[in-house]
Amino acid sequence: KTCLLLAVSAGYHKSNRICPPILRTRGFTMPGVTAVSSALSVLALLCTLPCRGAAPPFENIFKVTNNDEFRSWIVEKRRYIHQRPETMYEEFGTSEFIQSTLRDLGVPFTTGWGKNVHGDPSVNGTGVVAHIGSGNPPCVALRADIDALPILEDTGLPFASQTPGKMHACGHDSHTSMLLGAARYLKELNDREPLKGTVRLIFQPAEEGGAGAKMMREEGVLSLHPPVQRIFGIHVWPNHPTGTINSNPGTIMAGASEFFITIRGRGGHAAMPHLNVDPVPAAAALISAFQTVVSREISPLDSRV
């Protein structure tokens, strides 16, 4: 049980994230995080319909998903995935499970997305992309990451990782299950009354440092017909009350970049330090100076680390 952070975007920016958020703040609280998770994902459907009156009210979505059978279905999926964690570009079992679930739901999908261009060229990607709706614009995408981390799980839970040294410690098992729950709801809704647009479900591999979003973007996951006009991503968060949905104007999830600095010195004798070039004080001064980047160069109303 945890809080959800909502990230929304109209496109892709220069980061490893597939959905940099640009949604204005809006928060509300409801009981039952599993139901809220699925219902929130389905809110993307509202953007695919031509007018508000054609969209199912949120109360209806919440009612359909907030029941024991639906909740148990998602929990079962999540615990199955949690017990079988796979790290970036090795999510073959996870991908097959996603495909099997979509197949059971009658949702069409394609595979092989997110191929590791730095790995074995004969190995296909583990990403899965599914579609529900008319196949025509407008198109809204829902995205979940599927990979785990190289961490030993020592929780003692009955559904703990069965793979030594690997664990779903970042919640991607929850994200995947929530997107499968959204797939189930959207499929049932589409069967009753065809959607006036398309929802693209993106199951992305290699989020944990593998640039899986970048790989899928370059493969055309956003430009594929019909092109994506809005994309929604959700991340579980343990530091807020259960059942809370949080968002923020501007950036809400971090994107990391790396750069390297080499400080070169010149050796010599300790008795003649004035003839040497000592890199240690220079490195120490540089580390201290880095702290002023945030304190003096960034607005106190913004967040940086």
Side-chain angles (χ1 to χ4, degrees):
K1 291 185 175 181
T2 185
C3 157
L4 301 173
L5 294 176
L6 174 62
V8 186
S9 174
Y12 182 93
H13 289 238
K14 293 181 179 179
S15 77
N16 186 31
R17 305 287 173 179
I18 202 168
C19 50
I22 54 172
L23 183 70
R24 294 191 180 277
T25 305
R26 182 182 181 186
F28 50 94
T29 303
M30 284 188 163
V33 66
T34 300
V36 171
S37 305
S38 302
L40 178 58
S41 295
V42 178
L43 283 178
L45 170 64
L46 302 181
C47 297
T48 73
L49 300 175
C51 63
R52 288 185 183 274
F58 182 83
E59 292 76 12
N60 291 1
I61 300 173
F62 186 69
K63 181 178 180 180
V64 170
T65 58
N66 188 31
N67 63 74
D68 291 340
E69 190 278 329
F70 199 97
R71 184 184 301 109
S72 297
W73 188 88
I74 295 180
V75 169
E76 178 186 358
K77 304 298 181 189
R78 183 255 167 169
R79 293 186 175 183
Y80 179 93
I81 297 170
H82 188 87
Q83 288 181 303
R84 298 160 178 83
E86 297 172 303
T87 50
M88 61 178 182
Y89 293 121
E90 298 178 350
E91 311 95 333
F92 301 105
T94 305
S95 180
E96 180 54 43
F97 180 75
I98 294 168
Q99 296 172 44
S100 176
T101 302
L102 293 173
R103 198 176 292 116
D104 290 343
L105 293 173
V107 175
F109 59 88
T110 56
T111 62
W113 291 87
K115 185 172 182 176
N116 183 6
V117 298
H118 303 294
D120 186 345
S122 66
V123 178
N124 286 327
T126 53
V128 180
V129 176
H131 291 89
I132 301 174
S134 67
N136 297 314
C139 179
V140 170
L142 307 180
R143 169 265 187 187
D145 35 21
I146 68 175
D147 56 326
L149 285 163
I151 295 175
L152 177 65
E153 179 167 0
D154 189 24
T155 61
L157 293 170
F159 54 89
S161 170
Q162 298 175 355
T163 307
K166 296 183 180 181
M167 177 187 178
H168 271 292
C170 196
H172 297 186
D173 51 337
S174 296
H175 303 165
T176 302
S177 303
M178 285 150 49
L179 189 51
L180 290 173
R184 171 178 162 175
Y185 175 85
L186 286 166
K187 180 62 168 63
E188 294 173 355
L189 183 65
N190 188 64
D191 288 346
R192 293 196 301 271
E193 183 177 355
L195 305 183
K196 299 176 178 63
T198 303
V199 179
R200 181 168 301 156
L201 311 176
I202 301 174
F203 295 88
Q204 176 213 313
E207 189 274 343
E208 298 291 355
K214 180 176 183 290
M215 302 303 175
M216 294 189 75
R217 179 180 66 89
E218 292 177 349
E219 292 164 352
V221 72
L222 300 180
S223 57
L224 186 72
H225 181 79
V228 171
Q229 295 170 261
R230 295 290 187 274
I231 181 165
F232 290 69
I234 297 175
H235 204 297
V236 291
W237 201 253
N239 298 328
H240 294 288
T242 296
T244 301
I245 299 170
N246 287 273
S247 188
N248 188 60
T251 303
I252 190 171
M253 301 299 286
S257 299
E258 293 182 347
F259 63 92
F260 298 89
I261 298 175
T262 300
I263 301 175
R264 302 187 185 280
R266 184 176 65 214
H269 199 283
M272 295 175 285
H274 61 291
L275 300 179
N276 309 334
V277 177
D278 189 352
V280 176
L286 189 60
I287 292 171
S288 297
F290 281 151
Q291 307 307 310
T292 65
V293 173
V294 173
S295 65
R296 293 296 179 267
E297 300 296 329
I298 304 300
S299 168
L301 302 178
D302 294 334
S303 297
R304 298 291 189 276
V305 178

